[in-house]
């Protein structure tokens, strides 16, 4: 029997359904599902940080959940049972402005399933943004998803209107993508990144950059393949952020019986990604196991340190900023605090580090304090198989 989904016309029901449907498209702090909260009309409000450092709440919602694609992992895939819902651009604008005027949100993350055809849907998403910018003079944060099928003029218009844009790559290569989304074309997606780069070279770029997202564990992709692809996007295309979404099965999809992916794997990928963006690590400095994945038992920065005993211990009172970043337990903020503090007085014991908010137990095996090393018993036996030599 062919299933004909019910068409929803009630606005409040639309908000609830399309807000729920948007939860798997990640953006900024939206990757932290714990922080999201329901708004009084239903759907979800997510916190994020603007390019100016302001923490704001976003209305995160789809324009439509009625998709023409058959992605095996997706709850909005064509033919799956469920209520098919879409907003008109005018409806969505009214909903957002109402929530903004009530102080519930300050920005918008707008995505969509590919409804009817990608050009019509992209046109409607652009229209939402045009109405907000031009008719209602909204100057706040807008994150706009771009479909890979979008033409050059749609992409350029989206960049000029939105604060940030995203093009989701979903998988790190053509074969991997075909195994989870057979109707999507990896080369077409990559060509859209190339066009973003071309526009950027002409000075046409979104103020807060562009992002992408990968589904983790839906196929047989390796972490090495993921990090190689992401590293290229960072270094050759000046991408702003990558987001990683651990696969979880959804009923009435081809992958409904597949085991969910470990959220620890997602966490390790975010840690490795952070090493690229904030610690200036290169791809060849990441250490993968024999299966091409990041070990789950230990974070990638500590694993690198254990495999480079020739670098440590480092003297806290003289190490450069870049050297401090290589020490487990020390990040960009704490490294700056260390440099500021030692200008007044040298570090002599672990308590002075702890007073700066630094995890002394993680840091102690890798540092000297005024020439002295402090040893804290640690359970390193779990990691011995990963130590070189």
């Amino acid at each position: 029997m062919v299933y004909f989904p019910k068409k929803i016309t009630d606005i409040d029901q639309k908000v609830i359904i399309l807000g729920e449907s948007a939860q798997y498209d990640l953006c900024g702090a939206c990757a932290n599902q714990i922080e999201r909260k329901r708004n009084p009309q239903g759907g979800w409000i997510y916190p994020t940080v603007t390019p100016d450092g302001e923490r704001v709440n976003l209305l995160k919602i789809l324009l439509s959940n009625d998709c023409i694609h058959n992605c095996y992992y997706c709850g909005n895939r064509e033919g799956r049972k469920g209520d098919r819902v879409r907003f008109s651009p005018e409806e969505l604008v009214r909903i957002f402005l109402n929530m903004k005027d009530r102080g519930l949100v300050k920005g918008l993350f707008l995505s969509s399933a590919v409804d009817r055809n990608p050009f019509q849907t992209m046109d409607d998403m652009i229209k939402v943004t045009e109405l907000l910018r031009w008719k209602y003079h909204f100057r706040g944060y807008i994150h706009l998803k771009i479909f890979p099928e979008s033409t050059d003029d749609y992409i350029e218009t989206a960049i000029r209107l939105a604060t940030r844009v995203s093009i989701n790559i979903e998988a790190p290569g053509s074969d991997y993508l075909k195994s989870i989304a057979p109707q999507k074309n990896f080369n077409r997606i990559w060509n859209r990144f190339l066009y973003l780069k071309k526009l950027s070279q002409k000075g046409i770029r979104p103020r807060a950059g562009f992002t992408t997202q990968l589904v983790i564990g839906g196929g047989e992709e390796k972490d090495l393949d993921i990090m190689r692809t992401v590293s290229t996007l960072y270094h050759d295309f000046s991408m702003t952020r990558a987001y990683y979404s651990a696969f979880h099965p959804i009923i009435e999809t081809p992958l409904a019986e597949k085991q969910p992916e470990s959220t620890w794997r997602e966490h390790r990928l975010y840690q490795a990604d952070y090493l690229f963006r904030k610690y200036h690590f290169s791809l060849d400095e990441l250490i993968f196991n024999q299966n091409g994945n990041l070990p789950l038992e230990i974070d990638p920065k500590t694993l690198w340190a254990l495999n480079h005993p020739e670098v440590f211990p480092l003297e806290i009172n003289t190490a450069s900023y870049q050297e401090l970043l290589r020490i487990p337990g020390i990040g960009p903020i704490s490294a700056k605090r260390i440099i500021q503090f030692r200008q007044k007085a040298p570090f002599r014991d672990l308590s002075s580090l702890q007073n700066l908010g630094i995890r002394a137990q993680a840091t102690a095996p890798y540092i000297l304090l005024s020439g002295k090393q402090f040893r804290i018993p640690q359970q390193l036996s779990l990691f011995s198989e990963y130590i070189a030599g």
Side-chain angles (χ1 to χ4, degrees), residues 90-108:
E90 293 78 10
E91 283 178 328
L92 187 49
V93 167
R94 286 197 300 271
I95 290 165
F96 171 73
L97 291 176
N98 176 268
M99 294 180 65
K100 183 182 81 68
D101 291 343
R102 293 162 60 193
L104 297 173
V105 297
K106 288 188 176 181
L108 173 68

Side-chain angles (χ1 to χ4, degrees), residues 101-366:
D101 291 343
R102 293 162 60 193
L104 297 173
V105 297
K106 288 188 176 181
L108 173 68
F109 177 95
L110 179 58
S111 183
S112 184
V114 181
D115 186 338
R116 293 162 288 175
N117 69 71
F119 309 109
Q120 180 62 56
T121 309
M122 196 71 231
D123 192 75
D124 285 345
M125 293 172 70
I126 292 289
K127 186 174 182 180
V128 170
T129 315
E130 288 176 335
L131 286 169
L132 287 174
R133 294 297 198 213
W134 296 343
K135 183 175 181 179
Y136 297 101
H137 308 291
F138 175 68
R139 296 293 176 257
Y141 186 93
I142 298 177
H143 184 143
L144 189 63
K145 181 178 177 180
I146 294 175
F147 298 139
E149 300 93 337
S150 298
T151 57
D152 292 355
D153 57 332
Y154 276 131
I155 293 177
E156 185 170 347
T157 300
I159 288 173
R160 294 184 184 277
L161 289 169
T163 315
R164 172 173 284 180
V165 299
S166 57
I167 301 177
N168 289 352
I169 195 171
E170 311 294 10
S174 182
D175 291 340
Y176 292 133
L177 183 62
K178 188 177 296 185
S179 71
I180 61 172
Q183 292 171 310
K184 292 186 176 179
N185 186 305
F186 185 85
N187 290 332
R188 177 184 292 158
I189 297 172
W190 200 259
N191 283 335
R192 298 296 76 194
F193 291 135
L194 288 169
Y195 187 65
L196 288 178
K197 182 177 181 179
K198 180 180 178 181
L199 289 177
S200 180
Q201 291 170 342
K202 296 179 178 179
I204 303 170
R205 59 181 69 91
R207 182 163 58 91
F210 79 92
T211 70
T212 196
Q213 177 179 306
L214 296 98
V215 178
I216 308 303
E220 302 301 322
E221 76 290 334
K222 306 299 182 186
D223 292 348
L224 175 58
D225 300 319
I226 293 169
M227 288 289 98
R228 181 183 292 116
T229 299
V230 169
S231 176
T232 299
L233 287 171
Y234 280 138
H235 291 101
D236 295 348
F237 294 81
S238 300
M239 182 178 68
T240 306
R241 283 292 304 271
Y243 296 99
Y244 309 92
S245 179
F247 167 81
H248 69 280
I250 298 175
I251 60 171
E252 297 177 359
T253 65
L255 300 180
E257 302 303 318
K258 186 177 177 64
Q259 289 297 309
E261 187 54 78
S262 166
T263 53
W264 269 107
R265 183 183 179 197
E266 179 186 293
H267 182 61
R268 294 298 184 221
L269 286 166
Y270 272 115
Q271 288 177 320
D273 185 277
Y274 203 73
L275 293 182
F276 284 162
R277 293 186 296 109
K278 300 296 184 180
Y279 294 84
H280 309 291
F281 274 65
S282 61
L283 178 64
D284 59 10
E285 290 181 294
L286 296 181
I287 299 171
F288 301 88
N289 62 25
Q290 60 184 3
N291 296 321
N293 291 320
L294 295 164
L296 300 183
E297 299 86 353
I298 182 173
D299 73 87
K301 184 181 177 184
T302 300
L303 183 56
W304 179 87
L306 289 171
N307 278 271
H308 291 83
E310 75 281 0
V311 174
F312 304 101
L314 283 169
E315 173 57 62
I316 282 288
N317 291 301
T318 58
S320 68
Y321 175 75
Q322 291 301 329
E323 289 174 326
L324 290 172
L325 288 180
R326 294 284 166 148
I327 300 172
I330 296 179
I333 295 176
S334 52
K336 292 174 183 177
R337 288 174 179 170
I338 288 171
I339 292 173
Q340 291 173 350
F341 182 91
R342 73 190 187 189
Q343 291 174 352
K344 303 174 183 178
F347 289 92
R348 300 188 185 280
D349 53 47
L350 291 175
S351 63
S352 55
L353 285 176
Q354 290 173 323
N355 291 337
L356 295 181
I358 296 167
R359 295 182 295 115
Q361 184 163 342
T363 302
Y366 306 98

